[in-house]
Amino acid sequence: DTEVTQTPKHLVMGMTNKKSLKCEQHMGHRAMYWYKQKAKKPPELMFVYSYEKLSINESVPSRFSPECPNSSLLNLHLHALQPEDSALYLCASSQPSRDRLLYTFGSGTRLTVV
Amino acid sequence: DAKTTQPTSMDCAEGRAANLPCNHSTISGNEYVYWYRQIHSQGPQYIIHGLKNNETNEMASLIITEDRKSSTLILPHATLRDTAVYYCIVLSYGQNFVFGPGTRLSVLP
């Protein structure tokens, strides 16, 4: 299995809703990431988990809450989002070595906040 | 901040070679050059990476200048399916991917 699987593929939520995005990988990677991508812009790093511990939070608002229940799963809990949070949310994983830092990305969840 | 500069967009005729340049004048000795691409509404996909030597795989070739301050990704026979945004990324062990704007390659029939 060489894939990162993200669910759901599409999500529409109201500003008062609570929802979660899910990311799963079975490649044994010990680092996992959330990126946010607005239309026609490059992906922006949000969170980094390394060995199931949050190592980087790129000043993301608290309405986004990441969780890493185990080494294969990464969740992003969403609450009280704003319309400007509508974007493609990408998950990635990696197993870094000194000469090969390959990231595997999922296909993303397209989120629309109404 | 991204450590690379790339043209905003490029066109290429189908069947011809696509040569995508990338400048990374501040690259340090332990940093690799990675190329990824993102086809519309999909996740970024790994293409190739290198440190000093030129590299080739089934997808592309990577030419790195001797001073390592720039590189070129070559798609030898571009097809319509190669239309995508191509990202050149420089990083080393312990760093995280930071995407620059990339180059929007359009392969024209």
Side-chain angles (χ1 to χ4, degrees), chain A residues 35 37 42 56 99 101-103, chain B residues 32 34 36 38 96-97 100:
Chain A
Y35 285 80
Q37 186 173 27
I56 292 179
D99 65 346
L101 292 168
L102 298 188
Y103 281 43
Chain B
Y32 286 74
Y34 289 80
Y36 277 69
Q38 187 173 22
N96 295 305
F97 263 43

Side-chain angles (χ1 to χ4, degrees), chain B residues 30-105:
Chain B
N30 62 347
E31 289 182 319
Y32 286 74
V33 180
Y34 289 80
W35 283 85
Y36 277 69
R37 73 180 182 183
Q38 187 173 22
I39 296 170
H40 181 62
S41 294
Q42 297 183 20
Q45 173 193 22
Y46 168 78
I47 301 173
I48 199 167
H49 76 288
L51 182 62
K52 297 179 187 177
N53 300 322
N54 299 336
E55 302 288 344
T56 296
N57 63 21
E58 65 279 3
M59 288 182 69
S61 295
L62 174 60
I63 308 298
I64 302 175
T65 58
E66 193 168 343
D67 63 7
R68 302 211 320 126
K69 292 186 176 182
S70 66
S71 61
T72 301
L73 177 74
I74 301 172
L75 307 178
H77 304 287
T79 71
L80 298 179
R81 287 177 293 181
D82 293 321
T83 292
V85 178
Y86 287 77
Y87 296 103
C88 169
I89 299 161
V90 164
L91 79 167
S92 65
Y93 183 79
Q95 298 176 347
N96 295 305
F97 263 43
V98 174
F99 288 89
T103 296
R104 188 170 297 273
L105 175 69

Side-chain angles (χ1 to χ4, degrees), chain A residues 66-84:
Chain A
E67 178 197 20
C68 190
N70 60 56
S71 60
S72 300
L73 279 175
L74 185 65
N75 297 320
L76 186 62
H77 303 298
L78 314 172
H79 173 55
L81 295 193
Q82 303 297 310
E84 58 265 29

Side-chain angles (χ1 to χ4, degrees), chain B residues 12-23:
Chain B
C12 176
E14 189 178 17
R16 304 298 292 269
N19 297 291
L20 291 89
C22 179
N23 286 325

